[in-house]
Amino acid sequence: MNLILLGPPGSGKGTQGKRLGEFLKIPQISTGDILRQALENKTALGLKAKGYMERGALVPDEVIIGVMEERLGQADCSGGYLLDGFPRTVAQAEALEAMLTRSDCKIDRVLSLVVSQQELIQRMVGRGRADDKEEVVQQRLKVYEDQTAPLVDYYLKKGLLKVVEGMGPVEEITSRLLKSLR
Ligand code: ADP
């Protein structure tokens, strides 16, 4: 099963993605984690991504698409995967589709986590990651609205989208997500 977890920053994609991945026994692939790891290791990718991440902008499509082409070609992805943080733009979604078509695969379901704006800001400021400073948080929310939210419609039109309420206890949200896969 190939899944996409969609949602604004702070919606719990990371937390829920890990839980769902474990439950479904498929790798959870987080572009945010890949980029933070690259940053920590000061790799070429990390150096390229650093400035964008620090100001809450998206890393350029061609960079992230290259990363994902490589990652999804690895052996552990052959039995399916859950994507967290990718695609984040329509161009990325189109590139993903092209990649999948080439290997005779497809996206099975897109789960969209919905959380109120107020709660998003509280969660992010509360977790205190380097890019969770208030100004950067506002910027990331704006980038989400402008560049990522159009994917909700994109996948709705393809008949792949399920909207899941992302507020409440972590375990409950996980069961809602699992239920929406049935
Ligand atoms: P969040 O969803 O909370 O914003 P992530 O860990 O998914 O956090 O992403 C952190 C940062 O990494 C983003 O603000 C962006 O700069 C970069 N990033 C992650 N995924 C992508 C992507 N698919 N395309 C472009 N940039 C990305």
Side-chain angles (χ1 to χ4, degrees), residues 31-138:
T31 44
D33 287 350
I34 293 173
L35 293 171
R36 277 185 291 277
Q37 189 73 58
L39 223 97
E40 208 180 297
N41 297 336
K42 301 197 168 62
T43 64
L45 171 65
L47 295 176
K48 234 184 268 174
K50 188 170 194 283
Y52 297 101
M53 292 175 79
E54 282 172 353
R55 48 175 205 277
L58 293 184
V59 173
D61 283 336
E62 66 275 16
V63 174
I64 209 83
I65 289 167
V67 168
M68 291 308 274
E69 258 172 358
E70 201 205 307
R71 182 64 188 89
L72 298 183
Q74 287 170 14
D76 65 330
C77 288
S78 60
Y81 44 75
L82 185 148
L83 301 180
D84 156 12
F86 179 87
R88 239 176 166 96
T89 63
V90 171
Q92 291 179 17
E94 286 169 347
L96 173 65
E97 208 170 299
M99 265 181 240
L100 286 167
T101 307
R102 261 181 269 136
S103 47
D104 219 10
C105 289
K106 61 176 174 45
I107 292 298
D108 296 296
R109 193 67 53 88
V110 179
L111 306 175
S112 167
L113 272 176
V114 178
V115 172
S116 78
Q117 190 88 353
Q118 196 191 357
E119 169 96 7
L120 291 177
I121 296 174
Q122 267 175 15
R123 286 187 190 177
M124 278 190 279
V125 171
R127 85 188 161 183
R129 211 169 66 191
D131 58 349
D132 285 343
K133 292 185 217 79
E134 182 117 31
E135 330 79 77
V136 183
V137 162
Q138 295 292 351

